[in-house]
């Protein structure tokens, strides 16, 4: 089995996760190139990941004829252009979510992706590769809970990040809590219901950090959505979970209910002490989705080896962006938004 | 300690629960009178509950000078008139929810209630007396979870009742799922947030019994509500919980989260068998709220003995009805409703 | 329905629970007499429980011809004599566990009980009346978990009582942890397995309070027992549960496993906070078994009304005492004890 | 970073797990050789694992000068000899548990291991590398639950394997349930308490398959052990868990209790259906300890790279075997065994 050779662009927190996974945890893959404008990131790539070639220019990296594919973990604003360039250079592409920030530009990129149908384009909605979501999906597909009636998804970041977020929000635009946080949940919603969003109403409240009101940002956002088939969806996106990293899903069907991580249990340990019966919790996304990040990268490599596209498509990225944008608009205007 | 003497009107399923509680489980109370137009119910009152005097006329019953108070468990449409008559006859009143069906009539009755301020008027929102809700309320009041951001309440009846409901719905009007089922959840929402509903959007889906569409009834209804202080609320009302009687609440605050009966555990037993790790569930409201029904009746008697009104007021009944009505209207029109 | 009239002897912590239950929570019963050598306890009986007649002499109380039965909640050393006297006086008897301290004397009392077969003798193993144990028993009887292989019972008191216990143990003899704490678990073991103990080996460790070694007392005791049918049993008796009142049971059968209160959840509330996912715990026996104490007293009254003996017999009290004694002896000698 | 080169002996169910891990999931390692007397296993090694050199003779394989180390997953009876030969050939050694079957031979092998102190000897007690056990160990070392008083360990195989075990047991000797199943639990017991077993009493019951009595084998075995410091331990070893693969541990300390996998939850999914609230369970050891098997192999490679011995030693293997043997002897003789 020949080893596929990859280059990575972006080696921040998430970039390093992907970098280590390709380098060490995906059989049949090698990380041979890395691109960053941060010299320390390139040092890390060489010293820790054993990367041969480093680049400060993405255009230079993708000229490397050895490369079979690229892994894009750069800031979201660069995704679309880097996807296009890599495809034109004949490389397979793994792109971290979101596919892009602007709906029209995403549509143009999708045209390019479709033209390069024999190159794999893989969008990093890693939750689809988490064992618990996979298990839930199988149950739903097998009809175990009948027809879906209500879907509820929460994605709440640990409050340990609040203070730095508040500082950041005063000077910069996060893109909004729905695009930033709910995008994974919107993808899950579409994946499980197999239908599209019809209408949405969104709300928000800044209770711990009311100063976010001025910045036009949210500590907690929420939305109720009606799907084309009348399925009802609830979303909560937050940044202030005191107990850790809280990502849960609930599916209410006509024959049963599935609850996934209602309490974000870290492991199989329970402690009884003066606080009561205590289960420790996941503390961050890299802990919670450690294996899912590995498994999605393995799936990317498997797609290349089998010459087929993944189940998750560029259009999934487009639709999730459209819905997140509708949530933002509904919250800002206070109106119901029809899609 | 003198025993207070009560008469009850209505001895259906819930009436019998209240009847047995006053007769047997509330120290300092006696059930001496019962009124019903169903002869079997009066036989039951005499034989099983040991009631001395039975009546087919409510007006006759409240003339009984021995009676200290009445317990109204008749069909909802009779509540307001029976409250008025009992107050005018000088009796203390316990009235099962809802206080009434028409907002203007409720307001007129509240005037009467206020005039009879030295008679106790007690509205049967029994969940407030459940040990778990009481415990949650104490935590919130103590500031344990900070300021509330999101409140989520589900009330879903067991699917064992679905078929008879569908038959019923084809000929009669249930009052709508929000008035019928969500009224308790709306009361909890107001009790916990201490603020009023500002806007609401409601949805509904009939997935298992699409024939309910024609009847204008719902198998599952849902609403998102914005409170005056921007707190976000989600409601689900349903009639089709395969696993039993599902009533849960979640409170997300700035310092923590409270989850109440996310899984409606019946008792402290867990079974491991070929299905996995199984916890049996509550099967109906009388099982789940058995002690709460006793404790609210004890609270009613305590109010009489202490000469004070309960924390839950007729206005709470009015407001819950107004919100339930707004949910219905939003669902029927598809519009956001401002309150 | 005539009300049965009862007298109670002993109004300490547990006596007050039983006193309030007969007075207020058991339909068809009245508490008319109380006996104690502590004047404050008699004041309490008159003022709070509404008892008519109080006595400092037990012999005087049982002469009261109005009394249908007595409830014995005196110190354990008095149980056997008070049972005998009450039976001879023609009264029905409820006796708190243990039936007595000395095996031979218990046997003699059983003879008296058998002679008075038309008077109810009820031994207060209240756990048998707890809803969760009842539910587990029904599952086992229905064959849901097949044949029993392993039974494990823990009874651990909250550590809040440790310091006063250590002081007490330095001057007095508690009767030993197995007689004091495990007696309920031994009864459950016999109730569920329907067979007798054949051999036992017991151990003990004083880790938090090593000074108990000198007093010949135990902070934690444990035993493994072999039943006549080879079923294996584990017992743990402790006094130092930091998280509250810990009473659990596990039944491993050939077709499944039942776990009862592995974590002693207080109610249906879960809190997510900086400690993790937290479930509050039961804090003491009166909280955990509140309803079981009521239900056993109702069962006592029902036995009198129906003229039949309860399922739990004086012999159950005898056997539990014999096994507890064997545990003590095994721990003290370090040897296996055959029964 | 140079890749270490390994050969494996034995490619049965567990051998394949180790083979795949070294080949694919351990950065810095390569599987270049495999030895088996089963031709299909060698075909698998070549075709699936990409192994270059295959051998039917272990002696031949270890002559391969390219090999840095060997992984021994052969039948238990071969372990000791293969350890010795590999050490003499200058190879690092990973050996699956148990280290051997005979205490005296294990002692002799330990002498050889000690002489080859610059070669890594790693014994496959993989549970020590499981994230939940690691987390529990850290809590205990940090003093979170104070001094240990009671340790309880269960290891129960799924009942799906019972029928084939019964057939096997009629013709062959399994080595006994304590050596076969409890060896991991005994290792955990010693790892957590840091002390040795002093006395043991063991019992057994064949309830579902009484025909095992004749074969001298056990469906369920149990033991109570006293440690040198008086800590009390309970072990259950079983082959008949209807709900799946049940491996749990409980640690009762003076300041709290740790419960690990009391219910062997498969993932983060909960289903509410007609059975109640259901959590799916782990079905076999390869699912439950998938990551632990990877992590122990990574630890083995890390030891080689750092030139240090692992925390788990050959003596740990010896002691676990001694205790398992004492359990067997106690069960067979019915006596207490002193160690």
């Amino acid at each position: 089995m020949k080893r596929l050779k990859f280059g990575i662009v972006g080696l921040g927190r998430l970039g390093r996760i992907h970098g280590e996974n390709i380098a060490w945890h995906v059989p049949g893959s090698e990380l041979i190139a890395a691109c960053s404008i941060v010299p320390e990131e390139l040092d890390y790539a060489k010293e820790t990941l054993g990367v041969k070639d480093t680049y400060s220019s993405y255009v230079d990296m993708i000229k490397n004829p050895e490369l079979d594919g690229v892994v894009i973990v750069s800031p979201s604003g660069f995704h679309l252009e880097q996807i296009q360039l890599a495809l034109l250079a004949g490389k397979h592409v793994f792109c971290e979510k979101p596919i892009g920030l602007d709906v029209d530009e995403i549509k143009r990129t999708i045209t390019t992706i479709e033209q390069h149908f024999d190159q794999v384009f893989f969008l990093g909605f890693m939750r689809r590769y988490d064992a618990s979501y996979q298990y839930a999906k199988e149950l739903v597909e097998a009809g175990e809970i009948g027809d879906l009636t209500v879907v509820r998804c929460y994605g709440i970041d640990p409050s340990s990040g609040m203070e730095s977020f508040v500082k950041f929000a005063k000077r910069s635009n996060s893109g909004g809590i729905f695009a930033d946080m709910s995008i994974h949940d919107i993808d899950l919603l579409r994946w499980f219901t197999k239908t599209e969003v019809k209408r949405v109403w969104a709300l928000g409240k800044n209770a711990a950090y009311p100063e976010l009101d001025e910045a036009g940002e949210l500590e907690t956002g929420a939305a109720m959505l009606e799907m084309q088939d009348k399925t009802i969806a609830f979303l909560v996106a937050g940044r202030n979970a005191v107990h850790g990293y809280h990502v849960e899903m609930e599916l209410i069907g006509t024959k049963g209910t599935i609850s996934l991580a209602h309490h974000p249990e870290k492991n199989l340990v329970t402690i009884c002490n003066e606080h009561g019966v205590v289960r420790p919790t996941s503390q961050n996304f890299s802990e919670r989705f450690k294996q899912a990040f590995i498994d999605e990268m393995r799936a990317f490599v498997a797609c290349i080896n089998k010459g087929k596209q993944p189940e998750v498509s560029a259009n999934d990225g487009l639709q999730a962006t459209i819905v997140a944008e509708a949530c933002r608009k509904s919250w800002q205007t206070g109106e119901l938004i029809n899609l």
Side-chain angles (χ1 to χ4, degrees), chain A:
Chain A
M1 189 168 57
K2 168 183 169 293
R3 284 183 176 245
L4 295 168
K5 292 179 170 59
F6 295 100
I8 191 167
V9 56
L11 283 160
R13 192 159 64 138
L14 188 49
R16 289 176 189 216
I17 290 172
H18 286 310
E20 293 179 10
N21 289 343
I22 319 164
W24 302 332
H25 303 312
V26 179
S29 83
E30 258 180 298
L31 184 66
I32 63 161
C35 172
S36 172
I37 54 167
V38 184
E40 291 74 21
E41 292 185 5
L42 297 180
D43 292 348
Y44 162 83
K46 286 207 156 177
E47 286 157 26
T48 306
L49 301 180
V51 163
K52 284 190 310 182
D53 303 313
T54 59
Y55 302 85
S56 58
S57 153
Y58 178 75
V59 172
D60 287 350
M61 182 172 78
I62 59 172
K63 283 182 189 156
N64 184 335
E66 276 195 278
L67 285 182
D68 294 293
V70 295
V71 173
I72 300 172
V73 207
S74 53
S76 306
F78 296 102
H79 288 185
L80 289 170
E81 193 190 355
Q82 292 178 342
I83 292 167
Q84 298 245 14
L85 289 168
L87 290 171
L88 295 173
K91 311 300 184 195
H92 301 289
V93 175
F94 175 100
C95 180
E96 186 46 49
K97 70 95 198 167
I99 185 168
L101 301 175
D102 180 85
V103 167
D104 289 333
E105 287 181 28
I106 296 172
K107 287 180 179 167
R108 278 194 294 276
T109 305
I110 288 179
T111 307
T112 312
I113 290 167
E114 287 169 351
Q115 288 163 347
H116 294 256
F117 52 83
D118 52 358
Q119 288 161 253
V120 171
F121 176 78
F122 198 104
L123 189 60
F125 281 136
M126 85 291 182
R127 289 197 201 162
R128 293 195 185 201
Y129 296 88
D130 173 71
S132 294
Y133 286 101
Q134 288 267 340
Y135 189 85
K137 179 69 173 169
E138 281 165 27
L139 290 172
V140 171
E141 293 299 310
E144 291 286 334
I145 62 164
D147 294 326
L148 293 178
T149 303
V150 177
V151 178
R152 178 172 64 80
C153 293
Y154 287 8
I156 312 179
D157 269 354
S159 53
S160 53
M162 262 323 279
E163 288 194 21
S164 70
F165 176 75
V166 172
K167 275 183 208 156
F168 167 86
K170 285 177 179 165
R171 337 175 289 265
S172 317
N173 182 346
S174 75
I177 200 164
F178 298 107
D180 199 23
M181 302 283 305
S182 298
I183 199 110
H184 286 293
D185 288 324
I186 296 166
D187 180 57
L188 292 173
L189 177 57
R190 294 180 59 258
W191 189 42
F192 276 93
T193 64
K194 298 177 175 172
T195 181
E196 300 296 342
V197 173
K198 190 175 156 196
R199 292 194 297 173
V200 59
W201 185 43
L203 297 171
K205 182 175 181 183
N206 292 317
Y209 296 84
E211 59 263 49
L212 288 173
D213 284 348
E214 277 171 56
E217 293 278 2
L218 282 174
E219 182 184 306
T220 306
M224 183 163 77
L225 307 94
E226 186 177 35
M227 308 301 288
Q228 298 282 4
D229 68 352
K230 291 197 166 178
T231 300
I232 300 148
F234 294 130
L235 299 180
V236 170
R239 306 189 189 278
N240 192 25
V242 175
H243 56 289
Y245 179 66
H246 186 110
V247 169
E248 73 162 300
M249 180 181 70
E250 182 182 53
L251 304 163
I252 302 181
T254 52
K255 293 185 183 163
T257 292
I258 289 172
S259 188
L260 193 157
H262 178 58
H263 295 125
E265 298 151 359
K266 188 190 196 73
N267 51 34
L268 294 167
V269 171
T270 306
I271 305 148
C272 291
N273 59 21
E274 67 277 17
H275 302 301
V277 181
V278 182
R279 283 203 78 158
T281 48
S282 293
Q283 290 304 303
N284 49 58
F285 76 89
S286 54
E287 174 188 357
R288 169 65 182 88
F289 290 110
K290 185 180 175 183
Q291 191 64 36
F293 283 118
I294 294 173
D295 288 342
E296 70 169 352
M297 202 57 78
R298 288 182 186 167
F300 173 49
V301 168
C303 284
I304 298 173
N305 285 327
K306 293 177 187 162
K308 70 179 194 63
Q309 293 293 339
E311 193 195 5
V312 57
S313 71
N315 183 52
D316 292 320
L318 172 65
Q319 297 304 326
T321 300
I322 289 171
V323 175
E325 176 63 14
C327 290
R328 186 195 54 73
K329 196 172 153 196
S330 174
W331 167 61
Q332 285 175 340
T333 63
E335 300 298 322
L336 276 180
I337 304 291
N338 289 283
L339 284 161

